[in-house]
Every structure is written in structure tokens, then in C-alpha cells.
Amino acid sequence: AQSVTQLDSQVPVFEEAPVELRCNYSSSVSVYLFWYVQYPNQGLQLLLKYLSGSTLVKGINGFEAEFNKSQTSFHLRKPSVHISDTAEYFCAVSEREESNFGNEKLTFGTGTRLTIIP
Amino acid sequence: NAGVTQTPKFQVLKTGQSMTLQCAQDMNHEYMSWYRQDPGMGLRLIHYSVGAGITDQGEVPNGYNVSRSTTEDFPLRLLSAAPSQTSVYFCASSNQRFGTANSPLHFGNGTRLTVT
């Protein structure tokens, strides 16, 4: 069964500084990987996803993530954060199985709360 | 352009009371699901449905019932509320035909439930 670990529950960062939010996963098969963002008092929305191909994935709002199969990681990065990036970020994984296509379950990490310090 | 709509936004119940959390989507999505979000535990899947008339249990189904009589609606029922069900509940939908990879989950804005 798949699992996701986000070790950092909270990350404070100064405005315009770079940030990295860590995500590690566990699975016995190939996976799809996602980052979702939750702004205050809202539902989650997709930030970016890795399906296959290039290991560097670019998403919305200047975020990018790199898939590292050997380290089973999918860390999220942004070179310069803004106040508007204050949110909770969730890493998620689903397993790639042809037999389960269309019915894959997403497993979410526990989330990382990003706080931007002016 | 409504997307996924959840009602109510807030609810307070007494232990033992019942209620239904409503969820509706206007994107003709086949897949709908309910998650609960608790501090330090992320989102956990309660129940899901891959189409009208089809439902299945997720990770934490106990204490909750669902039904899917139409493509648009997927209500979540608490038959006898308990304090352990205090949480934020999210409904989400996606186009199941294309799978998780090509059809990300669309979330509602959540229902914050407190059981006293």
C-alpha cells in the first residue's frame, strides 16, 4: 500500500526567500505524484503533478517539484515566496496500475503549513 | 461556474444527533468522494463513488453512510454523531474515466462540524 510522509508540519519563510517543502513516498509499484494547495478557508486545488517523463515538473504560481525515484521523494520548491503563498500544502500519491485505472485512490500526506514572514 | 458546492459551511451537533452533509457538482464528474481533515492527520477518505448507484468504503467509513442516486449529488449522513466526528469535511469530484492522473480532484470549500 502507498504512503506519504511530510516531515515538516510548519515552515516559516521570509518574503522573497526560497522555500522547499519535503515529501517522501512509499509504494511497491510505480506512482503518480501530486502537490495540492489549500488556501485559508478553502478546499484543496491542484498545484502540480508528476505522471512520467521529465522529473522536473512546473506548476502554477511559480512552484516546481522534482521527482527522485532513488530517494522516493517529490520535494516542492519556489525560488522566491510571496505573502499570497501562505497556505497549507499537501503531497499526495496514487499507484499506477492498469487494472485499477480510473479508480486509483489518492493518499494524502499530513500537510505542511507555509507561513510567509513580511 | 459553481464546481463542487458543499452545504452547510458550519454545523454544531449534540452527541447522538443525526444530520446530512450535502455535496453537489455541476461538472458531470463520475467520481465523487468524501474526506475528513484533522490536524496532524491530513485528509482521510471516508467513502467514494465511481458513478450513480455505486458506492464504496474508504479508509475511515465507520459512523458514516452515503448514497449516490444521481451523478450530481453525493450526500454524507451521520446517523448518530459522536465527538470523534468533529472535523472538517471535504467533498471532491473528478472525471473517473480519465483516472487520477489526467483528472485531478476538484474540492468543495468544506463543512466544519463540531459535535459536543
Side-chain angles (χ1 to χ4, degrees):
Chain A
Q2 68 233 36
S3 67
V4 179
T5 302
Q6 293 181 250
L7 288 174
D8 304 309
S9 60
Q10 296 188 57
V11 173
V13 180
F14 284 102
E15 194 173 12
E16 298 184 6
V19 67
E20 177 179 85
L21 305 183
R22 297 181 295 167
C23 172
N24 288 87
Y25 70 92
S26 174
S27 174
S28 58
V29 301
S30 297
V31 296
Y32 300 125
L33 292 158
F34 308 82
W35 276 98
Y36 279 80
V37 59
Q38 183 182 28
Y39 296 107
N41 301 313
Q42 294 185 26
L44 283 71
Q45 56 184 281
L46 183 67
L47 197 58
L48 50 78
K49 61 185 179 183
Y50 170 77
L51 306 182
S52 64
S54 173
T55 57
L56 184 63
V57 179
K58 294 190 185 297
I60 60 172
N61 301 335
F63 283 93
E64 64 181 31
E66 186 159 19
F67 170 59
N68 187 319
K69 188 175 181 179
S70 63
Q71 297 186 3
T72 60
S73 68
F74 190 55
H75 300 332
L76 181 70
R77 301 186 184 97
K78 186 170 183 178
S80 175
V81 296
H82 302 284
I83 291 288
S84 58
D85 293 323
T86 297
E88 190 152 19
Y89 293 79
F90 292 91
C91 185
V93 62
S94 68
E95 293 183 329
R96 300 173 61 172
E97 291 182 293
E98 275 192 34
S99 62
N100 204 31
F101 181 77
N103 198 25
E104 308 96 340
K105 295 187 186 63
L106 272 181
T107 298
F108 286 88
T110 53
T112 298
R113 188 173 299 276
L114 177 62
T115 303
I116 309 302
I117 305 165
Chain B
N1 202 20
V4 179
T5 303
Q6 289 184 238
T7 56
K9 291 184 180 178
F10 302 94
Q11 183 70 49
V12 179
L13 291 179
K14 293 185 192 261
T15 297
Q17 286 185 316
S18 63
M19 80 158 294
T20 299
L21 307 186
Q22 301 291 345
C23 175
Q25 53 91 10
D26 61 0
M27 297 172 281
N28 202 32
H29 283 168
E30 296 176 19
Y31 180 91
M32 296 186 74
S33 55
W34 278 101
Y35 287 86
R36 59 178 289 173
Q37 182 180 27
D38 301 291
M41 304 195 75
L43 278 78
R44 293 180 292 169
L45 183 65
I46 305 172
H47 284 284
Y48 66 98
S49 167
V50 298
I54 306 169
T55 63
D56 205 347
Q57 296 181 349
E59 183 185 353
V60 288
N62 292 341
Y64 307 95
N65 280 350
V66 293
S67 60
R68 185 94 179 269
S69 56
T70 66
T71 299
E72 294 78 21
D73 300 298
F74 191 45
L76 178 72
R77 296 185 187 85
L78 284 70
L79 297 179
S80 179
S84 61
Q85 294 178 305
T86 293
S87 186
V88 181
Y89 292 85
F90 286 99
C91 180
S93 73
S94 74
N95 195 333
Q96 182 254 347
R97 287 177 295 153
F98 300 116
T100 309
N102 294 305
S103 181
L105 287 174
H106 294 256
F107 284 81
N109 285 341
T111 294
R112 188 174 296 273
L113 175 68
T114 302
V115 183
T116 61

